[in-house]
Every structure is written in structure tokens, then in C-alpha cells.
Amino acid sequence: MFKKDNEKLRKAIAAAGWDIAQSSYLKGILFISIAIATLISYFVNYSDVPYPVLPVFLLSFGFLLLFFNRLPYFFAFQRAERIEADLPIAIRSIAIQLSLKLPFEQCIRNIADSGYSCSAEFGKVVKEINNGSTIQQAFSKMSERVESTVVKKIISQLILSYENGRTSDLKQLADELSSIQRFRSKEFSAKLSFFGLLFIALACIVPILFISYSMISMLYFDAKINILNIWVFLAFFFPLVNLLIIGFLYFKTPKTFSGSTIVPLSSKEGQIFDQLLHEKRIPINFATLMKVVFLFSILSSILAAYFFGVFGLLILLLPPFTYFFFVYLNDYRNQEIEKNIPDALFQASISEGSIPMDKIIKNISRSDFGILSQEFSITSKQIELGRSVPDALENMKKRVSSDIFGRVIGLFNLCYKLGSNVQRILHETASDIFELNSVMKERQAIIAMQKYTVLYGGCLIVPVIIAITINIVSGLDFSYVQNFTKINSEQKSIMIQNIEQASQVYVALYVLLACIFVAYQEGRQSKFIVYALLFSFLAFSLFHFARENLKIM
């Protein structure tokens, strides 16, 4: 039995993508479990909690060991979901390339180089084929590495398509996967309202009840509540509960295709932002602009701090906000381009007869597809000036950071090099992207609901309600029970100050967790910085405003 469990754990570690031996992992989780359980026991021993230390240590150790033992299975499942997210469009791409009479091995190699979530696994398949394995053997190993029934089904169909040369079954399977993804999105969307209410209850109502109970008990009824316990609950326990709920929402949110994988603060991102400045006819590159903004913010903050005190230092937020303004502009630009791609491809596919690629590019440039037509217009002019079609298309691909757009342009290039009739291919690609956009819109609706609940609702409502609660409880008149409490005004002031400080720590941790969650859900982790700066300022401003102005008389 233990041997079978060890084998399952080994497979789970491999399926999670962790490069660590099973024995090393077991030793590591044993050490971490003992260390954390010891800390918990130490806290219990020196607090007012009336529990014996040994049972607390054993229970904590057992729970932690079980948690870390199940962790690889959980991450294996998450990795499988991420791989599944891009599979519909990847499988359609393979089917289209096979219909262009491209060799099967080359189709797999193209997917491996395309930047999908599943590309790394296809890259391993290509590597094993190059090392002498058959296609069946290479895909069989991929099936073992990914704990997913969907992936195993797709691998089985890919092997069949390789053996009989049929592509219709691949397209049908891709359609089925898209339908499953849409069903999962709708199912999760139906459950999200309940999770939102649960989150608000645990993030706001429960801490407020705890604060009210602690303050009334200590201030008016002389209850022996340790200040350290209040700090632990507000600065550790409640944030931990919030983290668990946010983590649950994050991991339960259906994974779908991500439209851009551009690395924040990379040279490629700088080139994209240079292009945005060029389009606005601003004669400066992005790096120089940021240097100017940074220098201006430093000098202005010194002057503003002299007149407005600490609020003058807010000018130091100008550089990060400038950067994220460009991030927003680029995201908006990509969305506009991706929205018009299906219409442009449908229009190009209904032309009569076989049309050369440069004529298709010119027709799209003359149409009313906004930014997409502008990009094709630049490419058309480059071709007229003597640039080859592949080079002009590749240059357009570099100017736009959308992965969807990049793959469409890659298909254009492939069709041009193979000399294929592109009308049918463009029609199929347009249908695929139209379906993909529908799935992504459903995901964006889910993210918007989560953002309103977790970020806007929590970060703006929670600090106000907590501040009002402190005001109400500290202002209650319990003079008729003075005989039951021995607390003096100085002790009362110290207790209120500690609860206020602990509450602010709780608000800060909540804001950070909420900002991380929303940024990761949107697929732009770098947005965490601007979210954290903006909502931390709003949360603390609202907290202090409510604390000073919303008092009972």
C-alpha cells in the first residue's frame, strides 16, 4: 500500500512540473511541518488559549503533513487545466496546417514554437522524436506527464490523425473542448455570487464582530483578553482566511487562452510602447520619457512636500502610473485588434478566385477595421516599397504584442510560403478566433464580477466599516456599569490604539491580497503594483476619514 502511494506521489510531483526527487520532497515537507507546528505550539503556550501544547503540536503537525502531501496533486491538476486552456486553438492550428499538406512533425514543431500553455509539452515531444522515439512513443510519454483525461483524449486523436491523415476529427474535438470551456465558465459564473457573499462576510462581517466583542469586553466589562491575541487574529488569522478564499477563487476560475505573453519591463515591451508614442506623433522614445517623468516626480515631490507635507510625496507615484497608463493603452490596442480579426478574415475569405497575399493585405488596409487596418496599411506600403511579403508580415507581428494576432500573421506567412489557396484557411481561422473571443468575453465577465466584489467592494467598504465600528464601540456610554470595570482612561486609550493599529494592518494585508488576486486573474501580474498603490491610498484615506469624521456624539 505504501509503495503504491509513493508511486502516486512520484507521478503527481512529475505531473506538477516540479524538478525534485520524491525523497527530497518528503524530507522537506517533514522539516517544514515540524517547524510550523513548533511555532504554533510556542504561540499557544505563551497565550491565553487554554489548550495543552502536545495535542496542539500533534494536530498541527498532522494537518500540515497531510496538506503538503496533497499539494503536488493539486498543482498537477492546475497545470493540466492551464495546458487544456490553449488546446482548442492549438488543435485547430494543427488541423489547418495538416490541411495545407504540412508534415505532421512540422505541425507539432510549429505548436511547440508558438507560445501556447501547452507548447512546452509539445516541445518535449519534438525533442523525444529528434532523439529517435516514434511519434506514438513521444506522445505516450506526454500522456504520462500530464494528469488530464482531456489531454489523453487529444493525444489519442492526434495519433489517429497521424496514422490515417484525417483532420476533420481534430476540428470536431477542438469544438467539443471549446464547448466544455464555455460550460465551465457559465457554471462557475453561477456559483460566483455565492462565493462573493461568503467572501464579504468573512472579510468584513466576522472581523467587525471580533473587533466589537474585543473592545466591549476589554473596555467596559474588564474581560482578560490579551492584546497579543487581537494582533494575531487581525494580522494573521483573518488575512489567512482571506488568502484561502482568494486562493480558492483563483484556482476554481476556469482557465482560458491568454491573449498576450509579453514580459513586463522587457525590451520588447519598450519597443511596443515606442510604437504607441510614434502613433501619437510624440518625438521621444519610451525609455527617455520615463527618465524625464522620474526626474520631474523627484523634483516636484520635494517642492510639494514643503507646502503640503506628506501628501506632496504622492507625486512620486507618477512614474508607475505613467508606465501602467501605457500598459492600459497597449491592452486596449490589442483588444481592438483582436476584436476585428474575425471580421477582417471573413471579408478576405469571401473574395472570388485565388488572390495573392499582397492583394489581401491591401484589401484589409482599405477596410474600416480601425487599428488593424492601420497596421495592414503600414505593411502594404512596405511591400510596395520593395520589402518581401514574409519580412513585412514579420515586421507587423513585432509591432503588436497580441499572441492571437501573431499566430494569424504566422498563418498568413505559412500560406504565402506554401502557395496555398488561403480563402478556406482564412474562413476556418476566422471561425476559430470568433469562438475564442466568445470564450474570452465570458471569462472577462467573470473577472469583472470578481474585481467588483474583491477589489472595489472589499478595499473601499471594509476600511470604512471597521473605522465606524471602532468609533461606535469606543464612544458607547457604559457609565452605569463602571462598578464592573477597573480600566482607567489611559488603559482605554492604549487598547483602542492597539486595536486601531491592528485593524490597519488587517486592511493593508487585505488590499495586497485582493490586488494580487485581481492582477493574476487578468493575466497582467505587473498591474499588481498600480492596484496596490492606488487602493492602499484609497483604503487608508477612507479609514482615517471615517475614523475622524464619522463618530457618534
Side-chain angles (χ1 to χ4, degrees), residues 298-449:
I298 292 291
L299 297 176
S300 300
S301 64
I302 296 173
L303 184 62
Y306 177 78
F307 290 101
F308 304 104
V310 68
F311 289 100
L313 298 178
L314 291 175
I315 298 178
L316 293 173
L317 299 178
L318 187 59
F321 275 105
T322 301
Y323 169 76
F324 285 104
F325 175 71
F326 276 86
V327 170
Y328 166 78
L329 288 179
N330 185 53
D331 287 346
Y332 175 79
R333 186 171 184 266
N334 288 343
Q335 290 172 8
E336 286 296 305
I337 289 174
E338 291 169 3
K339 181 179 70 176
N340 288 312
I341 286 175
D343 291 339
L345 296 182
F346 277 130
Q347 177 179 300
S349 68
I350 60 177
S351 304
E352 296 182 1
S354 179
I355 301 180
M357 184 61 69
D358 57 340
K359 183 67 174 176
I360 292 175
I361 293 172
K362 182 172 288 188
N363 289 343
I364 294 176
S365 70
R366 291 174 176 174
S367 301
D368 187 21
F369 296 125
I371 300 173
L372 182 65
S373 292
Q374 295 174 16
E375 287 295 335
F376 273 87
S377 177
I378 296 172
T379 302
S380 179
K381 291 177 182 178
Q382 290 177 345
I383 294 172
E384 291 174 356
L385 292 174
R387 198 163 191 169
S388 67
V389 171
D391 285 347
L393 288 172
E394 195 63 32
N395 184 262
M396 179 166 58
K397 182 179 177 181
K398 292 178 180 178
R399 293 195 303 268
V400 180
S401 61
S402 166
D403 287 346
I404 295 175
F405 180 79
R407 283 154 195 164
V408 170
I409 298 305
L411 187 62
F412 269 52
N413 246 331
L414 187 61
C415 291
Y416 177 79
K417 291 176 183 177
L418 296 176
S420 304
N421 188 335
V422 299
Q423 272 79 1
R424 179 175 61 84
I425 304 301
L426 292 179
H427 181 83
E428 292 181 0
T429 304
S431 300
D432 294 343
I433 295 176
F434 184 82
E435 177 70 18
L436 178 64
N437 285 343
S438 298
V439 175
M440 292 180 69
K441 284 180 181 179
E442 290 180 2
R443 174 177 168 80
Q444 288 170 358
I446 293 174
I447 292 173
M449 192 179 299

Side-chain angles (χ1 to χ4, degrees), residues 192-216:
L192 191 58
S193 57
F194 167 75
F195 291 135
L197 291 174
L198 177 65
F199 180 78
I200 289 297
L202 293 175
C204 184
I205 298 175
V206 174
I208 287 170
L209 291 174
F210 173 78
I211 291 171
S212 302
Y213 168 77
S214 301
M215 290 184 67
I216 292 174

